[in-house]
Amino acid sequence: TVHAIETPALESDEINTLIEEKFGRPIVVVGATAGSDCHTVGLDAILNMKGYRGDPGLERYSMYRAYNLGAQVENERLLAKALELKADVVLISQVVTQKEAHLKNLTHFVDLTEAEDVRDQLMLVVGGPRISHALAKEVGFDAGFGPGTSPGQVASYLAQEMIARKESGS
């Protein structure tokens, strides 16, 4: 069992070059805080051009197309928008809520992708202060990022993972 994501950290120009050469087109990422969650600080840090502490968000990369849908996005709307934009990755930011509501919400999103028969088309990634990679895998996501994750770490991981998937034909 992998307890944390261990991906070599790459510089932004290395990431752009890698995606261009090995993936052949920009990676489309759709992100939101889902359900009743209204905490967008983490999501904004990863996606928005400004990024966090001098580390630019995905919008700054030439080989990412990042769409930030904001807060309190219902799972159905998030999935519909991801499909409309032909997303490669759905990034959900989830701050822990009472009565494990975040786990129900994440599981529900996975269930929706399976019901629509699109689960294998999307890489599902979740981040938040109480999220771990192990927890993400447990609820059916491909990856989970916890507190202190930088935009560059996410950019490096997504690039390398999407290329690995393309090369393996999955």
Side-chain angles (χ1 to χ4, degrees), residues 24-45:
R25 64 170 175 79
I27 294 172
V28 179
V29 181
V30 174
T33 59
S36 60
D37 201 328
C38 59
H39 301 87
T40 62
V41 173
L43 180 73
D44 293 344

Side-chain angles (χ1 to χ4, degrees), residues 79-80 82-83 87-88 90 109-124 142 165:
L79 181 57
L83 295 175
D88 299 298
V90 175
F109 189 81
V110 173
D111 291 346
L112 274 180
T113 66
E114 290 170 353
E116 294 286 329
D117 200 26
V118 294
R119 176 62 188 95
D120 59 348
Q121 296 171 32
L122 298 166
M123 183 177 359
L124 303 183
D142 297 304
R165 287 175 171 213

Side-chain angles (χ1 to χ4, degrees), residues 39-58:
H39 301 87
T40 62
V41 173
L43 180 73
D44 293 344
I46 300 301
L47 293 181
N48 291 359
M49 194 168 280
K50 186 176 163 202
Y52 182 69
R53 291 191 174 165
D55 188 358
L58 296 184

Side-chain angles (χ1 to χ4, degrees), residues 14-77:
E14 292 176 294
I15 293 168
N16 286 324
T17 301
L18 187 67
I19 295 170
E20 194 167 1
E21 290 176 359
K22 304 265 190 201
F23 199 70
R25 64 170 175 79
I27 294 172
V28 179
V29 181
V30 174
T33 59
S36 60
D37 201 328
C38 59
H39 301 87
T40 62
V41 173
L43 180 73
D44 293 344
I46 300 301
L47 293 181
N48 291 359
M49 194 168 280
K50 186 176 163 202
Y52 182 69
R53 291 191 174 165
D55 188 358
L58 296 184
E59 286 179 350
R60 180 85 56 88
Y61 290 78
S62 62
M63 293 305 290
Y64 278 106
R65 296 292 171 268
Y67 298 90
N68 185 341
L69 304 185
Q72 296 181 308
V73 178
E74 291 305 321
N75 281 334
E76 292 80 0
R77 189 173 138 237

